[in-house]
Amino acid sequence: MTSDINREFIDHASALRAAEEGVAKLAAGRNDRWYPKFHIASDGGWINDPNGLCYYKGRWHVFYQLHPFGTQWGPMHWGHVSSDDMITWRREPIALAPSLNVERDGVFSGSAVEGDDGRLWLFYTGHRWQEGPNGEQENLEVQCAAVSDDGVHFEKLGVIIDNPDRLFHFRDPKVWKQDGRWYMVFGMSTPDKRGQILLYSSENMRAWHYERLLFRHPNPGVYMLECPDFFPLSDPNGNLRWVLCFSAMGEHPNGFSNRNLHNAGYVIGTWEPGERFQPQTEFRMWDWGHNYYAPQSFEAPDGRRIQYAWMSPFIPPHPMQEDGWCGQLTLPREVTLDHYGCIRTNPVEETTALRCGTTDFGSFVLDVNENRVLCDDIDAAEIEMEIDVSETTAERAGLKIHSTDDNAHTCVYYDDQTHRVVLDRHAAALGNRGYRAAPFTSHHLKLQVFVDRSSVEVFINDGEQAMSSYSTPSPGKRAIELNAESGTLAIQSLRIHRLRSIGLDR
Ligand code: FRU
């Protein structure tokens, strides 16, 4: 490393070795009762945001924020898995560990692109703590890059965007190429604590120039926009829109919306290089569940826009922390714009290849107050269910998942009084409780529900809305039940698929 700012405090290879040992130690003592079968998680340790999503040299790559030495958030590394079909995954060596002075306390979130030189470039934030005037911890952050020829071993290039004014919360670069020029967005907090997104550009990926303020959050309470993402999407009529995504810190709950500690969403609008982003919608949430944060997307070679998020366990307790691991990513979702110009998110097509056995329940009516066991023990399942809402008289009707002998369970039901889909953890065995409620618009309700060992993801009416939450079952058999309360439930179709592992559990 040449300049002082890029000086190493430890050599990268030793830092990576220590991190691998940290993960291996936690993995050796891991308990798998809640370890995901078909979601990406670390072998051991804590994970948060997905990073560096890309397709490079014939493989899909997913990196993620990793603390290899404990099951809490801590000094961040980049963990790594890859796949040749987006169905079965394999573990790769940890890609980045803190080794330069500017990233002494963490290699934070960022993105990946194939460079003009054919190499894989990672852009990420170097993070360190500094003492503030009153002895408090303040962050000092800069943007850094690293490159690789094989997508697995990375050489650090050091700082590419410095932070000379020592602004707080200056992080999470997302890079893309357009019309022959490289662009980068990242989030920042102004000295008067307003959340903003900045736009930079570059000809060669090394020298970056400030272009402009792309977006300032209208709510003065929002002090930081983490993990921004910015991409074009066309609706079926060919109308092009830009989607500006961010994970807002400081937003207050508003009815059913923004119920989580921090909330991830997007605004749809228009943009031309050189211009400010022009919003055309209000802020909309990606997902109505308890645990969906820091989503990032990338463009697949076939043009699909694919998004992963972190299932963020913001509110303790986190039962899996006793088990040697904490945190998982969501399923990969394809993001599209529909005829109304609204976003839809659906599990990627590849997910159907996880099905390994199907029970078809056909169409039937569940009686007033009836409870029916559909499946008495399953740890990884996909439920496809269509409800005829106009023929249903129940006040509440739907699924109990992770239902155990002690009567603990998590509910996913249709609520006639609010006309919403509710994901309700009031009877959850362990972990945080509370409910979330997503809107839906028609008289027909189609649910696609993915149940893993400690999570549930719900897709409503072909991806109009989604809900993702942890659900931690009690020991013993995990049943799936169907229930109608104070009325009948008209099922038009119902299938349950057993799902196989993506190859990361054991
Ligand atoms: C979002 C975030 C990012 C940061 C990373 C650190 O969850 O706080 O802003 O880069 O996590 O782990």
Side-chain angles (χ1 to χ4, degrees):
M1 291 292 149
T2 44
S3 73
D4 199 42
I5 162 170
N6 286 323
R7 186 161 306 136
E8 288 185 340
F9 67 92
I10 181 173
D11 77 277
H12 196 205
S14 318
L16 289 171
R17 255 195 319 277
E20 292 289 358
E21 282 166 20
V23 169
K25 204 164 147 197
L26 288 161
R30 198 177 80 208
N31 184 332
D32 280 356
R33 55 191 165 167
W34 300 312
Y35 192 82
K37 259 182 108 165
F38 61 93
H39 288 90
I40 292 170
S42 177
D43 229 3
W46 160 284
I47 77 165
N48 48 282
D49 317 353
N51 294 157
L53 307 173
C54 63
Y55 184 80
Y56 180 67
K57 290 193 175 167
R59 294 190 73 77
W60 305 95
H61 293 267
V62 171
F63 302 82
Y64 47 83
Q65 290 281 280
L66 164 71
H67 179 216
F69 304 115
T71 57
Q72 285 78 26
W73 189 86
M76 282 293 132
H77 295 56
W78 276 38
H80 185 193
V81 292
S82 79
S83 167
D84 62 8
D85 55 10
M86 237 200 299
I87 301 162
T88 303
W89 292 81
R90 77 173 184 221
R91 297 200 183 279
E92 301 288 0
I94 294 170
L96 298 175
S99 66
L100 310 178
N101 278 330
V102 288
E103 50 178 39
R104 173 176 284 281
D105 298 313
V107 288
F108 272 17
S109 286
S111 54
V113 282
E114 182 171 342
D116 296 324
D117 53 5
R119 306 178 88 193
L120 186 64
W121 286 62
L122 304 185
F123 293 91
Y124 65 95
T125 296
H127 164 91
R128 70 200 125 134
W129 296 114
Q130 57 178 355
E131 196 162 308
N134 304 317
E136 70 280 19
Q137 292 264 289
E138 293 175 345
N139 60 48
L140 181 53
E141 297 174 332
V142 294
Q143 315 319 331
C144 302
V147 287
S148 169
D149 288 318
D150 60 4
V152 176
H153 303 94
F154 291 88
E155 177 200 336
K156 289 185 180 174
L157 301 178
V159 176
I160 46 142
I161 297 179
D162 199 2
N163 180 359
D165 298 328
R166 297 186 157 237
L167 296 162
F168 302 154
H169 301 300
F170 192 77
R171 61 174 175 268
D172 306 337
K174 169 71 190 243
V175 171
W176 76 101
K177 190 174 191 185
Q178 188 180 331
D179 305 330
R181 199 166 176 83
W182 292 98
Y183 289 92
M184 176 194 290
V185 285
F186 61 86
M188 65 156 299
S189 188
T190 61
D192 61 344
K193 299 196 170 51
R194 298 291 300 258
Q196 299 192 152
I197 296 172
L198 303 184
L199 179 71
Y200 279 67
S201 78
S202 172
E203 265 155 31
N204 58 15
M205 309 178 87
R206 287 174 189 261
W208 289 86
H209 314 283
Y210 173 70
E211 287 254 336
R212 62 173 305 122
L213 171 65
L214 186 72
F215 179 74
R216 162 186 275 236
H217 199 284
N219 178 349
V222 172
Y223 62 92
M224 172 60 182
L225 303 176
E226 296 191 298
C227 301
D229 193 0
F230 193 41
F231 53 83
L233 276 185
S234 289
D235 72 14
N237 300 322
N239 298 310
L240 182 86
R241 294 285 178 272
W242 279 80
V243 185
L244 183 65
C245 321
F246 48 83
S247 293
M249 304 176 90
E251 188 73 274
H252 291 294
N254 171 18
F256 294 112
S257 302
N258 296 324
R259 304 275 344 156
N260 298 333
L261 178 65
H262 306 308
N263 296 279
Y266 59 87
V267 176
I268 307 173
T270 56
W271 178 70
E272 294 289 339
E275 303 289 317
R276 208 182 233 234
F277 171 70
Q278 300 292 339
Q280 292 176 322
T281 68
E282 73 294 354
F283 174 79
R284 295 177 181 172
M285 296 202 301
W286 281 115
D287 187 289
W288 294 79
H290 299 79
N291 308 109
Y292 193 89
Y293 198 64
Q296 276 294 305
S297 74
F298 68 110
E299 190 182 345
D302 60 10
R304 285 181 296 171
R305 174 63 47 179
I306 297 176
Q307 182 184 65
Y308 279 87
W310 166 44
M311 288 194 65
S312 45
F314 280 135
I315 311 289
H318 314 316
M320 68 276 250
Q321 280 178 324
E322 308 163 14
D323 287 357
W325 68 285
C326 187
Q328 69 180 42
L329 303 184
T330 59
L331 284 173
R333 298 178 182 183
E334 185 182 352
V335 183
T336 52
L337 264 193
D338 68 14
H339 278 97
Y340 305 104
C342 292
I343 294 250
R344 291 183 183 232
T345 59
N346 280 295
V348 295
E349 181 60 32
E350 284 83 344
T351 310
T352 55
L354 296 175
R355 296 175 184 168
C356 61
T358 298
T359 309
D360 195 334
F361 296 85
S363 72
F364 60 96
V365 175
L366 202 70
D367 229 339
V368 182
N369 295 331
E370 187 181 342
N371 192 71
R372 190 178 295 184
V373 176
L374 299 174
C375 192
D376 72 347
D377 188 20
I378 194 159
D379 65 351
E382 176 191 345
I383 304 149
E384 294 184 287
M385 181 163 101
E386 288 176 281
I387 298 175
D388 186 341
V389 171
S390 39
E391 292 296 314
T392 292
T393 61
E395 286 185 13
R396 295 193 284 200
L399 296 162
K400 281 186 192 171
I401 60 129
H402 288 160
S403 179
T404 44
D405 284 347
D406 55 0
N407 203 25
H409 53 262
T410 293
C411 303
V412 177
Y413 57 76
Y414 151 67
D415 181 339
D416 188 44
Q417 297 186 32
T418 56
H419 200 74
R420 284 185 172 245
V421 175
V422 178
L423 198 165
D424 183 350
R425 304 192 299 195
H426 81 275
L430 295 151
N432 187 33
R433 292 190 167 160
Y435 73 94
R436 295 288 182 270
F440 73 99
T441 43
S442 86
H443 284 290
H444 178 80
L445 178 57
K446 187 170 164 191
L447 296 177
Q448 195 180 5
V449 182
F450 290 86
V451 181
D452 205 340
R453 287 194 183 129
S454 58
S455 64
V456 54
E457 275 173 276
V458 182
F459 296 89
I460 302 168
N461 283 349
D462 296 311
E464 278 179 5
Q465 311 294 347
M467 309 179 86
S468 306
S469 296
Y470 284 109
S471 161
T472 321
S474 295
K477 289 184 174 177
R478 300 163 182 188
I480 296 174
E481 298 170 23
L482 196 63
N483 184 275
E485 191 179 324
S486 190
T488 58
L489 167 62
I491 294 286
Q492 286 174 311
S493 70
L494 174 59
R495 295 196 300 164
I496 299 187
H497 310 280
R498 199 166 280 278
L499 298 188
R500 72 168 179 77
S501 150
I502 57 167
L504 297 175
D505 63 334
R506 49 178 185 218

